[in-house]
Amino acid sequence: MQTSAGPVVAGRPPPKEKVMTSTKASRRPPIQMIDTEADALTDLAMAAEDRVPQVSEMLLNEIARAKTHSARTIPANVVTMHAKVRFIDEASRKEYSYELTYPRDADISAGRISILTPVGAGLIGLREGQSILWPDRDGHERALKIVEVSQAARNG
């Protein structure tokens, strides 16, 4: 018989389990979203399935696994719609700063990135300090680390 820590030998206690710890990006760290934004983003992603099927699917998957909160109770350090987020591409060490917006408000040259881009879909729900492995437009997986989140004024 074998455990994940190694073989079990008669007359000896089983080997201790090996615990792996890492500060590297998690494939899918826990995320949080505002309940009403999750509903609006679900509708948006479903409406965009024909135009951007991969991004639509990624966003729907993120919404499905998110813990939801009211706008009043979501932690301030979580990326929500209209939040300004500063993050690092851990491979290139390049830092970016964008406001996460709906497609109609997006203007990359003005620092506004759409939720319907691969990066936008990957940022939603993350909090300061978290990293995620996420595909870019070319399908290459990138480690993105959230450095800072600034919330726009919210009603809720």
Side-chain angles (χ1 to χ4, degrees):
M1 184 173 144
Q2 178 136 347
T3 70
S4 61
V8 174
V9 179
R12 291 193 188 160
K16 290 186 179 180
E17 293 291 321
K18 295 176 184 170
V19 177
M20 303 218 27
T21 58
S22 174
T23 57
K24 293 194 179 223
S26 171
R27 199 162 279 292
R28 297 291 182 266
I31 62 170
Q32 304 172 66
M33 293 180 77
I34 296 172
D35 50 8
T36 54
E37 285 184 357
D39 291 343
L41 292 174
T42 297
D43 292 345
L44 180 68
M46 291 175 72
E49 276 182 311
D50 290 340
R51 288 181 291 120
V52 285
Q54 294 87 359
V55 176
S56 177
E57 180 180 359
M58 290 187 301
L59 182 55
L60 288 169
N61 288 338
E62 291 301 276
I63 294 164
R65 70 183 195 85
K67 178 179 179 188
T68 57
H69 301 268
S70 71
R72 286 191 178 115
T73 62
I74 190 114
N77 67 346
V78 172
V79 179
T80 61
M81 294 306 294
H82 301 290
K84 280 195 109 170
V85 59
R86 194 163 51 97
F87 64 96
I88 294 173
D89 176 328
E90 293 186 309
S92 69
R93 303 304 302 162
K94 187 168 181 183
E95 187 171 294
Y96 300 90
S97 184
Y98 294 113
E99 177 186 350
L100 186 60
T101 67
Y102 290 94
R104 68 182 171 272
D105 301 321
D107 181 348
I108 203 75
S109 64
R112 296 188 306 267
I113 191 169
S114 172
I115 186 69
L116 286 183
T117 60
V119 170
L123 295 174
I124 191 78
L126 294 173
R127 68 179 188 278
E128 288 176 7
Q130 281 186 309
S131 295
I132 190 169
L133 290 173
W134 198 255
D136 62 17
R137 286 187 185 275
D138 299 322
H140 301 109
E141 207 159 65
R142 309 297 289 196
L144 307 177
K145 181 173 183 168
I146 306 300
V147 176
E148 183 180 22
V149 177
S150 303
Q151 292 295 337
R154 282 197 299 254
N155 295 325

